[in-house]
Amino acid sequence: MATPAPETPIVPAVAPASTGPSAPSVKRMFASIAGSYDRANQILSLGMHHGWRTAAVRWSGARPGDRVLDCATGTGDLALAFRRAVGAEGEVVGTDFCDEMIALASEKAGRAGLSIRYETADVLSLPYDDRSFDIASIAFGIRNVEDPAHGLAEMARVVRPGGRVVVLEFGQPGSALFAPLYRFYSRRILPAIGGWVSGERSAYEYLDRTSSRFPAGERFVALMRATGAFRGVESHPLTGGVAYVYAGEVGGEG
C-alpha cells in the first residue's frame, strides 16, 4: 500500500539520537562472513531475496541513463540489478565500508560482464557532491547504520530533487498465522542454518535481533519523513511483511 507523505522542508534535518549498532563491530562481523554471504542468503531466504531486489528496482523508477548509488552494497546484487536497469548509458556506483565485501562485489560484476564502480565509503559520510545521482539505494543495510536517520538524509543529499532514495529492509509479518511461524524460523532455524553455512552463528543471531527490533512499515515511513529530506514516501510490503521496499522522493527544486 502506498503511503503519501505531507510536504516537508527542503533541507534535510537529522534526528539527534544514534540508535544503530556500533560500526566497528558490524564491519568485523560482515568481514567474517563475506565468503559465505551469498550462499547463506540463498538458503535462508529460499531464493526470495532475488524477487525482493527486483521489486526495489521497480519501485525506484530507474530508467536507462540514470545514475545510481547503491550504499552498503555487500556483494553487489542490487547494484547489478540496477546496472541492468539503467543500461549502457547509465552509471552505477556501489559503496560499502567493508573492503572484503567490495572485493567480492567487484569480482561478481566482472564475471557478469557489467561495469560498476565500487568504492569503500560509509553511508554516514558519502564522498559525493550534492545532487550527483538520480537514485540512491540500500538493501538490508540501514538497520546496521549507527544513525539510520542521518544515513537516510545523507543519501538524500547526493540525489537530485525529484530523484528517489530506495530502502529494502526486513520487516515483521503481522498476520495471526504467519507471524509466529516466521518468528520461530527467524529465532531458531535461521541462526542454526546460518551458523552451519558460515561458521559464525552469532552473525545470524544478530540478524534476527536487529531485524525484529528495527522499525518497519509505518514506523519506518515516519523515520524517513522525520529527516525532512523527502516530499513523498511510499511503503510496499513483500512476502507478507517479511521485507519492505520504501521509496522516498527527494525534496527541493530542480
Side-chain angles (χ1 to χ4, degrees):
M1 179 180 67
T3 307
E7 290 295 322
T8 53
I10 292 174
V11 179
V14 179
S18 172
T19 59
S22 161
S25 64
V26 171
K27 186 184 294 188
R28 286 193 300 270
M29 182 189 68
F30 278 104
S32 73
I33 63 172
S36 60
Y37 188 74
D38 284 346
R39 187 158 64 103
N41 284 348
Q42 180 69 22
I43 294 170
L44 294 171
S45 76
L46 304 177
M48 289 186 290
H49 64 303
H50 299 298
W52 297 340
R53 289 186 176 88
T54 298
V57 173
R58 182 173 70 250
W59 287 111
S60 76
R63 298 174 296 182
D66 279 349
R67 298 192 72 222
V68 179
L69 174 67
D70 184 41
C71 301
T73 196
T75 59
D77 283 339
L78 186 56
L80 288 169
F82 271 115
R83 174 77 269 182
R84 295 182 178 101
V86 303
E89 61 270 42
E91 181 182 4
V92 177
V93 179
T95 67
D96 203 290
F97 70 177
C98 179
D99 291 329
E100 290 82 356
M101 289 289 188
I102 286 289
L104 291 169
S106 183
E107 291 173 7
K108 187 184 291 184
R111 291 194 302 270
L114 295 172
S115 174
I116 297 173
R117 190 168 91 242
Y118 286 108
E119 299 176 340
T120 303
D122 191 329
V123 70
L124 292 175
S125 183
L126 293 169
Y128 306 109
D129 293 337
D130 295 357
R131 307 183 177 195
S132 299
F133 297 92
D134 300 293
I135 296 164
S137 63
I138 186 167
F140 306 114
I142 195 66
R143 76 183 189 285
N144 300 318
V145 175
E146 283 190 298
D147 188 338
H150 183 93
L152 290 165
E154 181 69 350
M155 291 169 71
R157 178 188 66 79
V158 302
V159 171
R160 63 169 174 78
R164 288 196 157 196
V165 169
V166 178
V167 178
L168 175 60
E169 190 53 83
F170 289 113
Q172 300 94 42
S175 76
L177 178 61
F178 186 37
L181 293 173
Y182 180 74
R183 283 196 298 271
F184 177 79
Y185 172 78
S186 183
R187 293 173 185 175
R188 303 294 184 184
I189 307 300
L190 186 149
I193 297 176
W196 172 69
V197 173
S198 69
E200 297 285 346
R201 182 185 175 108
S202 62
Y204 292 90
E205 291 172 337
Y206 165 88
L207 187 157
D208 168 62
R209 186 168 63 252
T210 55
S211 62
S212 64
R213 296 174 182 174
F214 196 71
E218 289 301 314
R219 290 187 299 147
F220 190 81
V221 168
L223 177 65
M224 290 187 71
R225 288 175 177 170
T227 67
F230 305 102
R231 62 188 179 208
V233 181
E234 298 173 353
S235 169
H236 304 279
L238 307 172
T239 317
V242 172
Y244 279 80
V245 173
Y246 307 95
E249 183 180 348
V250 176
E253 298 179 0

